[in-house]
Each structure stands twice: as C-alpha cells, then as structure tokens.
Amino acid sequence: MSWTYSKFNHSFMRDKKFRSLASSDARYLMLWFMLNEHQVSVGCYRLPDGYAVADTGFDLARYQGIRDDLEAAGLIMYDPDSLEVLIVDWFEHNPPMNDRHATGIRKEISSIESDTLRSYAEERFLMAEELRPPDKPKRVPREDVARLVTSAALQRRIDPFNRV
C-alpha cells in the first residue's frame, strides 16, 4: 500500500552513514528509497529492479551498484529472493506515533516476505515501541459525562443497596 504523505526526519541528513556516502547518486538513491511512492510505514517494501530503474533514471547496472553500496554502508538491507528493500534505521526516524499506527505497522511487518527482513523489522519495531510514550487518554465529551452521571444517580435511587 502506498501513501500520499511521508514524514521525513531531518536528523537523517546528519546521520554518519548517510554523510559518509561517496557520491551524490548514492545520497539521492537513499533519499529516494525513503521517500518514493512504494514506501510504506514499516520501511520495507517489494521493489523489483525495473521499478527502481524506471523511477530513478539510472541504468540497471548503475542502480544495482549503488544499491550494493548502500547495503555495504549499513543503510539498507536487500533480499534478492523477495526483491524487498528495508531501510535499516527506519524506526529511529519514523517511530510509531500512537497505538493505531503501531497496530498498522505490526500488520505490515507480518506481510514482509523475507524472513530475514521481517525478523529485523520486528526487532527494530519492538525497540521503538519501548521508547514510545503511552497514548493520551481520550477525552469524554461533556454530553456523555452528563449522561453517565445522570445514569449513575438514577441507578442509586433505584438500587436499594446503592450499587453503581
């Protein structure tokens, strides 16, 4: 599932691994991996070479060479059997924002075909989840509070044992 909006954490631009890349093509491809239309909220997606070549304008050999450089730099993982790309530090820059987001991420992680990439994504997701503050409790609308108070008061009048 692709999305129309993607959050980009600017701290990534200061990442030592990213800054150590030797070429602007490698930096471009890394940013493209993070922001392209194939990206999903888990940071791992299926990307046949033909899609990447068509989208980036690189020829196949150049694309594969740069992808290998990014993998050697520890920025991505690639599984040639499932054709999936995983952004290594995805959850450091894009942690789950709330319980619903985390639930969606869990579902997407379970759909990763590569066992290696799925295990890695699960591990990194759980680390990010430990750091996430709990969701704020939802506010109950005034009308509902008034209805609940009235209901409790009526119950006390009706119930001879004053159980609520």
Side-chain angles (χ1 to χ4, degrees), residues 3-130:
W3 36 342
T4 58
Y5 169 79
S6 180
K7 184 177 81 169
F8 180 76
N9 189 326
H10 296 274
S11 67
F12 179 76
M13 300 301 283
R14 294 188 306 269
D15 183 278
K16 288 179 185 177
K17 291 184 277 186
F18 179 75
R19 292 182 62 170
S20 72
L21 293 171
S23 72
S24 58
D25 283 351
R27 287 187 289 278
Y28 165 75
L29 187 59
M30 185 61 207
L31 291 172
W32 183 82
F33 278 146
M34 294 180 72
L35 299 171
N36 71 67
E37 68 179 298
H38 309 285
Q39 184 57 266
V40 293
S41 64
V42 72
C44 181
Y45 52 97
R46 188 172 182 278
L47 184 67
D49 288 349
Y51 288 177
V53 167
D55 288 357
T56 62
F58 292 129
D59 63 62
L60 181 60
R62 179 84 175 123
Y63 164 72
Q64 290 174 335
I66 297 169
R67 184 187 63 209
D68 292 346
D69 293 344
L70 295 175
E71 190 167 17
L75 289 164
I76 67 165
M77 294 170 70
Y78 177 70
D79 186 313
D81 295 327
S82 66
L83 305 177
E84 291 170 310
V85 173
L86 178 137
I87 309 298
V88 170
D89 293 331
W90 180 260
F91 291 117
E92 286 182 25
H93 302 290
N94 299 287
M97 302 306 292
N98 55 48
D99 289 341
R100 286 186 65 203
H101 188 202
T103 299
I105 289 172
R106 280 187 196 94
K107 184 178 175 183
E108 284 188 40
I109 288 174
S110 69
S111 70
I112 296 172
E113 187 178 329
S114 165
D115 293 338
T116 302
L117 300 184
R118 186 179 343 95
S119 295
Y120 186 85
E122 284 173 347
E123 178 185 314
R124 297 305 288 255
F125 169 73
L126 292 174
M127 290 169 55
E129 271 291 84
E130 287 178 15

